[in-house]
Amino acid sequence: MSEHSGRRTTPGRLVAIVVTLLILLSPFLWLLQMSFKSNDQILQFPPPPIFTPTLENYISLWHSAFSASFVNSLLSASLSTALALLFGVPAAYALSRWAGRGKHGLSFAILVTRMAPPIAFTIPFFLFYRWIGLLDTITGLVLVYTSFNLPLVIWMMQPFFDTVPISLEEAALVDGARTRTVFTKIVLPMVTPGIAATAILCFLYAWNDFFFALILTRTNARTAPVAVVNFMNYEGWEWGKIAAGGSLVMAPVLIFSLAVRRYLVSGLTAGAVKG
């Protein structure tokens, strides 16, 4: 039997995959179908297996303050991810090519800064932002997310740069290429999977953040996760809007992940192997 025939998908394996996917996706599918129901249908017991879907929840969301909060989340997550990659990727490359003493100590120190719990920085950030006038601003959120994502970028990208042979860079330098050209034209294309995987993780952290967005914003820079909580009030929980808001919050991450799916799996695994 050939190697390919041994790896052929059998009916039992296919059933197991489908069942596993249904179990993993059932919470998201349940949330999605609930977003197309009215509050009366959501609270009905037993839940109706067949119902007439409605876009009322999504329409009411986009005619409320949630639309501005959604844009705030997109801006803060995208800008902080871009800044973290802009500064973190060259720093990881420099750390990877550093041949002097103290390299491992510096790498560990960078990792330790990412291990600190966010709550430890809440009061300093709040007092400092109030002093310089960055409370309730997109700029303030971007700086916070960038400061937490930067160590993650350096820590994740360094192993990818370690796998790039230095002989390629030396050959390009001998041929007259500048250091910037070597980095942008030779090294970066070889670590594209790592950049894609790192970008997704940075975007996820910024997009899903609730703690800093709750403490450091009020109305102008409120993000989507905080806006969804506002539908839980003393008059009653608006389950339809909560479900619709949760579905919309998941959408950008899903689209971003699908867009770079070619690099995601290889990016998450390649950097773990050196040599």
Side-chain angles (χ1 to χ4, degrees):
M1 183 181 294
S2 65
E3 181 180 357
H4 294 287
S5 61
R7 295 181 179 178
R8 188 176 302 166
T9 302
T10 61
R13 183 178 299 177
L14 184 61
V15 171
I17 293 174
V18 172
V19 172
T20 303
L21 284 176
L22 287 177
I23 294 175
L24 294 176
L25 295 177
S26 57
F28 306 103
L29 296 176
W30 174 80
L31 182 70
L32 183 62
Q33 61 88 25
M34 192 171 71
S35 68
F36 293 101
K37 290 182 177 180
S38 63
N39 283 333
D40 294 336
Q41 292 174 329
I42 293 173
L43 298 176
Q44 185 177 346
F45 185 83
I50 300 176
F51 63 93
T52 303
T54 177
L55 295 176
E56 179 184 355
N57 296 319
Y58 291 95
I59 294 174
S60 60
L61 274 183
W62 287 107
H63 286 85
S64 65
F66 180 84
S67 57
S69 301
F70 191 84
V71 174
N72 290 339
S73 289
L74 279 178
L75 288 175
S76 59
S78 301
L79 291 177
S80 61
T81 299
L83 285 177
L85 292 175
L86 179 64
F87 294 108
V89 171
Y93 174 71
L95 190 61
S96 173
R97 295 298 183 260
W98 186 11
R101 299 179 57 182
K103 173 180 177 179
H104 297 292
L106 181 58
S107 300
F108 180 73
I110 293 173
L111 180 59
V112 166
T113 60
R114 190 63 180 83
M115 293 179 179
I119 194 172
F121 302 95
T122 305
I123 295 178
F125 268 121
F126 181 83
L127 295 177
F128 181 66
Y129 275 15
R130 188 177 63 176
W131 180 47
I132 63 176
L134 284 181
L135 280 179
D136 200 19
T137 62
I138 297 296
T139 303
L141 288 179
V142 169
L143 292 178
V144 170
Y145 297 154
T146 302
S147 65
F148 278 90
N149 280 334
L150 193 56
L152 177 65
V153 172
I154 298 174
W155 179 67
M156 284 196 62
M157 288 304 303
Q158 183 184 345
F160 289 97
F161 288 120
D162 290 341
T163 61
V164 178
I166 301 180
S167 57
L168 293 178
E169 303 173 41
E170 294 175 345
L173 292 174
V174 170
D175 290 339
R178 301 176 60 183
T179 303
R180 180 183 302 177
T181 304
V182 172
F183 177 68
T184 57
K185 302 296 184 181
I186 298 177
V187 179
L188 281 186
M190 298 182 68
V191 297
T192 301
I195 295 176
T198 304
I200 289 178
L201 293 180
C202 291
F203 188 87
L204 277 174
Y205 169 78
W207 180 262
N208 292 330
D209 173 69
F210 177 81
F211 186 74
F212 283 113
L214 179 65
I215 301 299
L216 300 178
T217 65
R218 293 296 180 266
T219 54
N220 296 330
R222 180 187 298 159
T223 59
V226 178
V228 171
V229 179
N230 290 335
F231 298 125
M232 306 175 186
N233 47 55
Y234 291 107
E235 290 77 14
W237 289 21
E238 302 177 76
W239 289 110
K241 292 183 179 180
I242 293 174
S247 301
L248 289 176
V249 167
M250 289 189 300
V253 178
L254 179 61
I255 295 173
F256 187 27
S257 301
L258 290 176
V260 296
R261 66 186 183 277
R262 290 177 50 197
Y263 308 105
L264 182 57
V265 176
S266 58
L268 290 174
T269 57
V273 181
K274 294 184 180 182

